[in-house]
Amino acid sequence: MPSVVGLLEERERGARQRVEVLREEADRVLAELRDAELFWERFVTAREVLVEVLAGPGGGADVMETAVPVAENIAPAPTPTPTPTPKGGRVPGSVVPVRGEGVEVSALSPDYQRIVGVLAASAAAVACGEIASALGLERVPAKVEGVRSKAARMAERGWLVKEPSGRFTLAPGLRGGGS
């Protein structure tokens, strides 16, 4: 008859092997996630550069951006052609209107309104990593870059001010949430 200690040691070995297998799988998944985030960052940067180039000297007020749906769990494919913006209309949540008289914060999509809310709650200029954290996002490069892209777009259109340090504040007159 086997000893109790021997049985416990056998079960301990089995549990340790299971932990090692799961750690290897977790390491593999984390490495794949890092690669996917880097791949995604390349597209974010490419899109931003394209928008800047197409905007030309006019400042980009006439460049309409469209949302491109992202398919999950598939191998990277060639960049899809964006859906054109409907004539006379806009794609909900994808366009940041130029701030002007009569244009309220409510004209922004919810993601942009949340950024305004974070900045309104702050007494000082805020870095994009801090904005991402305040929004409940992980501080991974892809998420911070997404926030930076949105904040930069809002600064271009008069909603935010980008400081030389790269931090953002609300544009004058937005503290109270109005325009």
Side-chain angles (χ1 to χ4, degrees):
M1 175 169 229
S3 73
V4 174
V5 173
L7 290 173
L8 286 174
E9 288 174 345
E10 185 178 321
R11 287 190 178 194
E12 180 185 352
R13 268 191 305 276
R16 184 179 62 239
Q17 288 172 346
R18 175 83 173 128
V19 167
E20 288 172 3
V21 166
L22 289 173
R23 278 192 181 134
E24 288 175 7
E25 186 174 341
D27 289 343
R28 182 193 58 77
V29 169
L30 287 173
E32 191 172 330
L33 177 61
R34 280 190 299 273
D35 291 344
E37 286 176 335
L38 290 172
F39 188 75
W40 177 29
E41 286 180 46
R42 288 178 40 216
F43 283 104
V44 169
T45 303
R47 179 185 44 78
E48 289 176 345
V49 170
L50 179 63
V51 168
E52 289 173 12
V53 168
L54 292 176
D62 58 340
V63 176
M64 302 294 274
E65 297 176 31
T66 57
V68 179
V70 177
E72 294 183 25
N73 300 322
I74 61 169
T79 305
T81 305
T83 307
T85 303
K87 188 170 182 118
R90 65 178 209 191
V91 177
S94 65
V95 176
V96 177
V98 175
R99 183 172 168 247
E101 184 134 353
V103 182
E104 300 290 329
V105 172
S106 61
L108 298 170
S109 72
D111 285 347
Y112 293 98
Q113 288 181 32
R114 290 176 64 208
I115 292 171
V116 168
V118 168
L119 293 172
S122 176
V126 184
C128 293
E130 296 166 338
I131 296 171
S133 292
L135 294 173
L137 302 172
E138 278 187 87
R139 281 182 87 159
V140 295
K143 300 287 184 184
V144 173
E145 178 58 27
V147 169
R148 192 204 65 72
S149 174
K150 287 178 180 173
R153 189 172 306 122
M154 293 174 74
E156 289 170 1
R157 306 225 168 100
W159 294 93
L160 304 180
V161 174
K162 183 177 181 181
E163 296 190 346
S165 64
R167 294 173 170 265
F168 290 89
T169 59
L170 288 178
L174 273 182
R175 272 282 166 213
S179 61

